[in-house]
PDB file of all heavy atoms in Angstrom:
ATOM      1  N   GLY A  61     116.758  89.397  99.490  1.00  0.00           N
ATOM      2  CA  GLY A  61     117.217  88.562 100.564  1.00  0.00           C
ATOM      3  C   GLY A  61     116.555  88.804 101.897  1.00  0.00           C
ATOM      4  O   GLY A  61     117.193  88.737 102.926  1.00  0.00           O
ATOM      5  N   ASN A 128     125.376 100.937 110.955  1.00  0.00           N
ATOM      6  CA  ASN A 128     123.952 100.914 110.576  1.00  0.00           C
ATOM      7  C   ASN A 128     123.752  99.889 109.498  1.00  0.00           C
ATOM      8  O   ASN A 128     123.565 100.221 108.329  1.00  0.00           O
ATOM      9  CB  ASN A 128     123.490 102.254 110.139  1.00  0.00           C
ATOM     10  CG  ASN A 128     123.249 103.214 111.309  1.00  0.00           C
ATOM     11  OD1 ASN A 128     122.770 102.809 112.310  1.00  0.00           O
ATOM     12  ND2 ASN A 128     123.736 104.465 111.204  1.00  0.00           N
ATOM     13  N   GLY A 129     123.687  98.614 109.844  1.00  0.00           N
ATOM     14  CA  GLY A 129     123.554  97.564 108.864  1.00  0.00           C
ATOM     15  C   GLY A 129     124.937  97.178 108.270  1.00  0.00           C
ATOM     16  O   GLY A 129     125.865  98.024 108.290  1.00  0.00           O
ATOM     17  N   SER A 130     125.083  95.958 107.841  1.00  0.00           N
ATOM     18  CA  SER A 130     126.441  95.622 107.358  1.00  0.00           C
ATOM     19  C   SER A 130     126.672  96.227 105.954  1.00  0.00           C
ATOM     20  O   SER A 130     127.842  96.443 105.601  1.00  0.00           O
ATOM     21  CB  SER A 130     126.617  94.055 107.332  1.00  0.00           C
ATOM     22  OG  SER A 130     125.760  93.486 106.409  1.00  0.00           O
ATOM     23  N   GLN A 131     125.680  96.509 105.211  1.00  0.00           N
ATOM     24  CA  GLN A 131     125.793  97.139 103.884  1.00  0.00           C
ATOM     25  C   GLN A 131     126.600  98.419 104.041  1.00  0.00           C
ATOM     26  O   GLN A 131     127.555  98.677 103.245  1.00  0.00           O
ATOM     27  CB  GLN A 131     124.429  97.475 103.260  1.00  0.00           C
ATOM     28  CG  GLN A 131     124.477  97.998 101.931  1.00  0.00           C
ATOM     29  CD  GLN A 131     124.723  96.886 100.882  1.00  0.00           C
ATOM     30  OE1 GLN A 131     124.684  95.684 101.127  1.00  0.00           O
ATOM     31  NE2 GLN A 131     125.048  97.349  99.618  1.00  0.00           N
ATOM     32  N   SER A 132     126.254  99.254 105.054  1.00  0.00           N
ATOM     33  CA  SER A 132     127.026 100.515 105.241  1.00  0.00           C
ATOM     34  C   SER A 132     128.397 100.212 105.742  1.00  0.00           C
ATOM     35  O   SER A 132     129.305 101.035 105.464  1.00  0.00           O
ATOM     36  CB  SER A 132     126.168 101.516 106.037  1.00  0.00           C
ATOM     37  OG  SER A 132     126.275 101.168 107.348  1.00  0.00           O
ATOM     38  N   PHE A 134     130.245  97.782 104.818  1.00  0.00           N
ATOM     39  CA  PHE A 134     131.036  97.447 103.636  1.00  0.00           C
ATOM     40  C   PHE A 134     131.403  98.649 102.824  1.00  0.00           C
ATOM     41  O   PHE A 134     132.498  98.816 102.282  1.00  0.00           O
ATOM     42  CB  PHE A 134     130.334  96.408 102.759  1.00  0.00           C
ATOM     43  CG  PHE A 134     130.449  95.055 103.294  1.00  0.00           C
ATOM     44  CD1 PHE A 134     129.334  94.422 103.859  1.00  0.00           C
ATOM     45  CD2 PHE A 134     131.667  94.374 103.278  1.00  0.00           C
ATOM     46  CE1 PHE A 134     129.503  93.128 104.413  1.00  0.00           C
ATOM     47  CE2 PHE A 134     131.804  93.121 103.794  1.00  0.00           C
ATOM     48  CZ  PHE A 134     130.693  92.494 104.387  1.00  0.00           C
ATOM     49  N   TYR A 159     128.083  88.490  96.205  1.00  0.00           N
ATOM     50  CA  TYR A 159     126.943  89.344  96.593  1.00  0.00           C
ATOM     51  C   TYR A 159     126.942  90.619  95.689  1.00  0.00           C
ATOM     52  O   TYR A 159     127.903  91.389  95.692  1.00  0.00           O
ATOM     53  CB  TYR A 159     127.128  89.691  98.073  1.00  0.00           C
ATOM     54  CG  TYR A 159     126.110  90.715  98.632  1.00  0.00           C
ATOM     55  CD1 TYR A 159     124.784  90.650  98.338  1.00  0.00           C
ATOM     56  CD2 TYR A 159     126.626  91.768  99.414  1.00  0.00           C
ATOM     57  CE1 TYR A 159     123.853  91.592  98.878  1.00  0.00           C
ATOM     58  CE2 TYR A 159     125.703  92.673 100.001  1.00  0.00           C
ATOM     59  CZ  TYR A 159     124.313  92.548  99.685  1.00  0.00           C
ATOM     60  OH  TYR A 159     123.515  93.536 100.178  1.00  0.00           O
ATOM     61  N   TYR A 162     127.849  94.489  96.867  1.00  0.00           N
ATOM     62  CA  TYR A 162     129.199  95.133  96.894  1.00  0.00           C
ATOM     63  C   TYR A 162     129.448  95.863  95.635  1.00  0.00           C
ATOM     64  O   TYR A 162     130.244  96.816  95.571  1.00  0.00           O
ATOM     65  CB  TYR A 162     130.302  94.117  97.016  1.00  0.00           C
ATOM     66  CG  TYR A 162     130.276  93.067  98.114  1.00  0.00           C
ATOM     67  CD1 TYR A 162     130.810  91.815  97.867  1.00  0.00           C
ATOM     68  CD2 TYR A 162     129.723  93.312  99.363  1.00  0.00           C
ATOM     69  CE1 TYR A 162     130.759  90.810  98.835  1.00  0.00           C
ATOM     70  CE2 TYR A 162     129.715  92.336 100.322  1.00  0.00           C
ATOM     71  CZ  TYR A 162     130.191  91.063 100.107  1.00  0.00           C
ATOM     72  OH  TYR A 162     130.173  90.140 101.062  1.00  0.00           O
ATOM     73  N   SER A 208     131.920  86.220 100.873  1.00  0.00           N
ATOM     74  CA  SER A 208     130.782  86.046 101.801  1.00  0.00           C
ATOM     75  C   SER A 208     130.714  84.487 102.038  1.00  0.00           C
ATOM     76  O   SER A 208     130.895  83.715 101.200  1.00  0.00           O
ATOM     77  CB  SER A 208     129.428  86.547 101.233  1.00  0.00           C
ATOM     78  OG  SER A 208     129.094  86.029  99.992  1.00  0.00           O
ATOM     79  N   PRO A 210     128.209  81.834 104.443  1.00  0.00           N
ATOM     80  CA  PRO A 210     127.814  81.297 103.118  1.00  0.00           C
ATOM     81  C   PRO A 210     127.767  82.469 102.037  1.00  0.00           C
ATOM     82  O   PRO A 210     127.559  83.563 102.367  1.00  0.00           O
ATOM     83  CB  PRO A 210     126.395  80.797 103.374  1.00  0.00           C
ATOM     84  CG  PRO A 210     126.262  80.681 104.799  1.00  0.00           C
ATOM     85  CD  PRO A 210     127.197  81.599 105.492  1.00  0.00           C
ATOM     86  N   ASN A 212     126.348  84.530  99.121  1.00  0.00           N
ATOM     87  CA  ASN A 212     125.171  85.038  98.396  1.00  0.00           C
ATOM     88  C   ASN A 212     125.688  85.348  97.010  1.00  0.00           C
ATOM     89  O   ASN A 212     126.599  86.046  96.889  1.00  0.00           O
ATOM     90  CB  ASN A 212     124.642  86.277  99.100  1.00  0.00           C
ATOM     91  CG  ASN A 212     123.480  86.893  98.353  1.00  0.00           C
ATOM     92  OD1 ASN A 212     123.003  86.372  97.344  1.00  0.00           O
ATOM     93  ND2 ASN A 212     123.054  88.030  98.922  1.00  0.00           N
ATOM     94  N   ASP A 240     132.392  88.092 105.082  1.00  0.00           N
ATOM     95  CA  ASP A 240     130.999  88.587 105.306  1.00  0.00           C
ATOM     96  C   ASP A 240     130.189  87.413 105.895  1.00  0.00           C
ATOM     97  O   ASP A 240     129.888  86.416 105.238  1.00  0.00           O
ATOM     98  CB  ASP A 240     130.424  89.013 103.952  1.00  0.00           C
ATOM     99  CG  ASP A 240     129.005  89.534 104.015  1.00  0.00           C
ATOM    100  OD1 ASP A 240     128.317  89.288 105.054  1.00  0.00           O
ATOM    101  OD2 ASP A 240     128.547  90.155 103.046  1.00  0.00           O
ATOM    102  N   ALA A 242     127.101  87.475 107.059  1.00  0.00           N
ATOM    103  CA  ALA A 242     125.726  87.845 107.135  1.00  0.00           C
ATOM    104  C   ALA A 242     124.778  86.634 107.436  1.00  0.00           C
ATOM    105  O   ALA A 242     123.852  86.741 108.234  1.00  0.00           O
ATOM    106  CB  ALA A 242     125.220  88.587 105.873  1.00  0.00           C
ATOM    107  N   TYR A 243     125.046  85.515 106.827  1.00  0.00           N
ATOM    108  CA  TYR A 243     124.188  84.371 106.988  1.00  0.00           C
ATOM    109  C   TYR A 243     124.757  83.282 107.827  1.00  0.00           C
ATOM    110  O   TYR A 243     124.074  82.304 108.208  1.00  0.00           O
ATOM    111  CB  TYR A 243     123.869  83.644 105.565  1.00  0.00           C
ATOM    112  CG  TYR A 243     123.200  84.619 104.611  1.00  0.00           C
ATOM    113  CD1 TYR A 243     123.956  85.426 103.811  1.00  0.00           C
ATOM    114  CD2 TYR A 243     121.823  84.664 104.548  1.00  0.00           C
ATOM    115  CE1 TYR A 243     123.343  86.372 102.969  1.00  0.00           C
ATOM    116  CE2 TYR A 243     121.185  85.524 103.662  1.00  0.00           C
ATOM    117  CZ  TYR A 243     121.944  86.349 102.888  1.00  0.00           C
ATOM    118  OH  TYR A 243     121.329  87.240 102.002  1.00  0.00           O
ATOM    119  N   LEU A 267     129.492  91.133 110.536  1.00  0.00           N
ATOM    120  CA  LEU A 267     128.272  90.339 110.985  1.00  0.00           C
ATOM    121  C   LEU A 267     127.128  91.263 110.842  1.00  0.00           C
ATOM    122  O   LEU A 267     127.303  92.512 110.680  1.00  0.00           O
ATOM    123  CB  LEU A 267     128.460  90.024 112.462  1.00  0.00           C
ATOM    124  CG  LEU A 267     129.350  88.831 112.825  1.00  0.00           C
ATOM    125  CD1 LEU A 267     130.660  88.850 112.361  1.00  0.00           C
ATOM    126  CD2 LEU A 267     129.413  88.797 114.388  1.00  0.00           C
ATOM    127  N   SER A 268     125.962  90.656 110.907  1.00  0.00           N
ATOM    128  CA  SER A 268     124.736  91.486 110.783  1.00  0.00           C
ATOM    129  C   SER A 268     123.588  90.805 111.564  1.00  0.00           C
ATOM    130  O   SER A 268     123.611  89.648 111.844  1.00  0.00           O
ATOM    131  CB  SER A 268     124.295  91.444 109.285  1.00  0.00           C
ATOM    132  OG  SER A 268     122.992  92.009 109.096  1.00  0.00           O
ATOM    133  N   LEU A 269     122.742  91.668 112.093  1.00  0.00           N
ATOM    134  CA  LEU A 269     121.532  91.113 112.782  1.00  0.00           C
ATOM    135  C   LEU A 269     120.430  90.794 111.789  1.00  0.00           C
ATOM    136  O   LEU A 269     119.353  90.264 112.179  1.00  0.00           O
ATOM    137  CB  LEU A 269     121.031  92.122 113.822  1.00  0.00           C
ATOM    138  CG  LEU A 269     121.976  92.436 114.999  1.00  0.00           C
ATOM    139  CD1 LEU A 269     121.193  93.357 115.988  1.00  0.00           C
ATOM    140  CD2 LEU A 269     122.445  91.120 115.718  1.00  0.00           C
ATOM    141  N   SER A 270     120.637  91.218 110.521  1.00  0.00           N
ATOM    142  CA  SER A 270     119.427  91.178 109.548  1.00  0.00           C
ATOM    143  C   SER A 270     118.883  89.785 109.352  1.00  0.00           C
ATOM    144  O   SER A 270     117.720  89.570 109.426  1.00  0.00           O
ATOM    145  CB  SER A 270     119.846  91.806 108.285  1.00  0.00           C
ATOM    146  OG  SER A 270     120.104  93.164 108.394  1.00  0.00           O
ATOM    147  N   LYS A 271     119.746  88.867 109.069  1.00  0.00           N
ATOM    148  CA  LYS A 271     119.301  87.554 108.556  1.00  0.00           C
ATOM    149  C   LYS A 271     118.854  86.695 109.796  1.00  0.00           C
ATOM    150  O   LYS A 271     118.236  85.613 109.697  1.00  0.00           O
ATOM    151  CB  LYS A 271     120.405  86.794 107.806  1.00  0.00           C
ATOM    152  CG  LYS A 271     120.960  87.722 106.689  1.00  0.00           C
ATOM    153  CD  LYS A 271     119.901  88.269 105.727  1.00  0.00           C
ATOM    154  CE  LYS A 271     120.610  89.164 104.721  1.00  0.00           C
ATOM    155  NZ  LYS A 271     119.752  89.817 103.786  1.00  0.00           N
ATOM    156  N   PRO A 275     116.099  92.671 109.889  1.00  0.00           N
ATOM    157  CA  PRO A 275     116.585  93.618 108.856  1.00  0.00           C
ATOM    158  C   PRO A 275     116.134  95.058 109.104  1.00  0.00           C
ATOM    159  O   PRO A 275     116.808  95.993 108.702  1.00  0.00           O
ATOM    160  CB  PRO A 275     115.974  93.049 107.528  1.00  0.00           C
ATOM    161  CG  PRO A 275     114.803  92.269 107.940  1.00  0.00           C
ATOM    162  CD  PRO A 275     115.086  91.692 109.301  1.00  0.00           C
ATOM    163  N   ARG A 278     118.587  97.428 111.169  1.00  0.00           N
ATOM    164  CA  ARG A 278     119.748  97.964 110.536  1.00  0.00           C
ATOM    165  C   ARG A 278     121.054  97.939 111.375  1.00  0.00           C
ATOM    166  O   ARG A 278     121.521  99.032 111.794  1.00  0.00           O
ATOM    167  CB  ARG A 278     119.554  99.395 109.966  1.00  0.00           C
ATOM    168  CG  ARG A 278     118.287  99.606 109.184  1.00  0.00           C
ATOM    169  CD  ARG A 278     118.206  98.730 107.949  1.00  0.00           C
ATOM    170  NE  ARG A 278     119.386  98.727 107.054  1.00  0.00           N
ATOM    171  CZ  ARG A 278     119.978  97.632 106.754  1.00  0.00           C
ATOM    172  NH1 ARG A 278     119.635  96.430 107.115  1.00  0.00           N
ATOM    173  NH2 ARG A 278     121.023  97.721 105.949  1.00  0.00           N
ATOM    174  N   THR A 279     121.456  96.777 111.750  1.00  0.00           N
ATOM    175  CA  THR A 279     122.621  96.681 112.616  1.00  0.00           C
ATOM    176  C   THR A 279     123.674  95.794 112.069  1.00  0.00           C
ATOM    177  O   THR A 279     123.381  94.588 111.792  1.00  0.00           O
ATOM    178  CB  THR A 279     122.234  96.192 114.041  1.00  0.00           C
ATOM    179  OG1 THR A 279     121.253  97.143 114.538  1.00  0.00           O
ATOM    180  CG2 THR A 279     123.440  96.129 114.977  1.00  0.00           C
ATOM    181  N   GLY A 280     124.922  96.263 111.849  1.00  0.00           N
ATOM    182  CA  GLY A 280     126.019  95.450 111.478  1.00  0.00           C
ATOM    183  C   GLY A 280     127.038  95.445 112.577  1.00  0.00           C
ATOM    184  O   GLY A 280     127.074  96.425 113.390  1.00  0.00           O
ATOM    185  N   PHE A 362     118.713  80.598  99.884  1.00  0.00           N
ATOM    186  CA  PHE A 362     118.470  80.692  98.457  1.00  0.00           C
ATOM    187  C   PHE A 362     118.757  79.357  97.782  1.00  0.00           C
ATOM    188  O   PHE A 362     119.570  78.572  98.301  1.00  0.00           O
ATOM    189  CB  PHE A 362     119.414  81.686  97.835  1.00  0.00           C
ATOM    190  CG  PHE A 362     119.481  82.974  98.510  1.00  0.00           C
ATOM    191  CD1 PHE A 362     120.635  83.373  99.162  1.00  0.00           C
ATOM    192  CD2 PHE A 362     118.416  83.831  98.545  1.00  0.00           C
ATOM    193  CE1 PHE A 362     120.729  84.663  99.834  1.00  0.00           C
ATOM    194  CE2 PHE A 362     118.479  85.052  99.195  1.00  0.00           C
ATOM    195  CZ  PHE A 362     119.635  85.448  99.817  1.00  0.00           C
TER     196      PHE A 362
HETATM  197  C1  PLP B   2     125.961  88.620 101.760  1.00  0.00           C
HETATM  198  C2  PLP B   2     125.286  89.860 102.260  1.00  0.00           C
HETATM  199  N1  PLP B   2     126.063  90.750 102.970  1.00  0.00           N
HETATM  200  C3  PLP B   2     125.553  91.907 103.396  1.00  0.00           C
HETATM  201  C4  PLP B   2     124.182  92.137 103.272  1.00  0.00           C
HETATM  202  C5  PLP B   2     123.752  93.431 103.862  1.00  0.00           C
HETATM  203  O1  PLP B   2     122.853  93.264 104.886  1.00  0.00           O
HETATM  204  P1  PLP B   2     122.451  94.312 106.005  1.00  0.00           P
HETATM  205  O2  PLP B   2     122.921  95.595 105.527  1.00  0.00           O
HETATM  206  O3  PLP B   2     121.050  94.179 106.229  1.00  0.00           O
HETATM  207  O4  PLP B   2     123.261  93.869 107.236  1.00  0.00           O
HETATM  208  C6  PLP B   2     123.383  91.240 102.626  1.00  0.00           C
HETATM  209  C7  PLP B   2     121.955  91.601 102.459  1.00  0.00           C
HETATM  210  O5  PLP B   2     121.233  90.910 101.759  1.00  0.00           O
HETATM  211  C8  PLP B   2     123.926  90.107 102.119  1.00  0.00           C
HETATM  212  O6  PLP B   2     123.238  89.199 101.473  1.00  0.00           O
END
Side-chain angles (χ1 to χ4, degrees):
N128 280 319
S130 66
Q131 184 77 13
S132 76
F134 281 109
Y159 174 46
Y162 308 147
S208 57
N212 176 0
D240 180 345
Y243 299 86
L267 283 49
S268 169
L269 297 183
S270 295
K271 312 303 174 182
R278 309 304 308 126
T279 303
F362 311 112

